[in-house]
Amino acid sequence: MEDIRRLQAEFTDERGWNQFHQPRNLLLAMVGEVGEVSELFQWRGEVAEGLPDWTETEREHLSHELSDVLIYLLELAEKCHVDLPQAVLKKMALNRLKYPASKVHGSAKKYTEYQD
Ligand SMILES: Nc1ccn([C@H]2C[C@H](O)[C@@H](COP(=O)(O)OP(=O)(O)OP(=O)(O)O)O2)c(=O)n1
């Protein structure tokens, strides 16, 4: 994650694009790329894991769009002064506490739906 963040920071600096890469613009750019990912799945119905019916071209296109989402996400986090690698680990620890495997195994219910 840190390598990708650094490479994108270099890419942006080299082009004098920091002036455009404020948090709101990065958020909108990221959402735009999420839209491009969605477009690839649009109207196909459910898609099985591994995307067995997709062509190589479609798979490559998807890999590009997912990459764009991640690139903007990492830069957005940086510009918001969120240490994303650390924050993700903390959040995953919180998720484990909120959803103990022994309690929720095999159920997709949200934690608020459990009575205890
Ligand atoms: N102002 C910009 C423009 C582009 N990029 C980088 C980050 C993304 O990884 C990628 C996005 O490029 P495009 O906006 O050209 O989008 P696509 O690559 O998705 O092209 P298209 O929209 O034609 O599919 O380039 C960036 O950092 N800042």
Side-chain angles (χ1 to χ4, degrees), residues 8 11-12 17 20-21 33 36 61 65 67-68 71-72 75:
Q8 174 64 5
F11 175 90
T12 303
W17 284 358
F20 310 120
H21 283 209
E33 298 298 341
E36 292 189 39
H61 195 169
E65 302 308 346
S67 301
D68 288 336
I71 290 164
Y72 282 133
E75 195 180 352

Side-chain angles (χ1 to χ4, degrees), residues 3 8 16 24 26 33 42 44 61 67 69-70 72 85 87 89 101 103 110:
D3 285 351
Q8 174 64 5
R24 190 194 59 128
L26 290 167
E33 298 298 341
Q42 190 171 279
R44 283 178 178 267
H61 195 169
S67 301
V69 172
L70 181 62
Y72 282 133
L89 292 176
K103 184 170 166 186
K110 192 164 169 67

Side-chain angles (χ1 to χ4, degrees), residues 20-71:
F20 310 120
H21 283 209
Q22 300 96 338
R24 190 194 59 128
N25 281 348
L26 290 167
L27 171 64
L28 292 174
M30 183 186 74
V31 171
E33 298 298 341
V34 170
E36 292 189 39
V37 173
S38 307
E39 234 183 303
L40 294 172
F41 284 84
Q42 190 171 279
W43 312 128
R44 283 178 178 267
E46 194 48 275
V47 175
E49 180 174 339
L51 319 177
D53 304 326
W54 289 39
T55 64
E56 271 315 303
T57 308
E58 287 169 333
R59 286 163 193 279
E60 194 184 21
H61 195 169
L62 177 63
S63 75
H64 289 169
E65 302 308 346
L66 288 174
S67 301
D68 288 336
V69 172
L70 181 62
I71 290 164

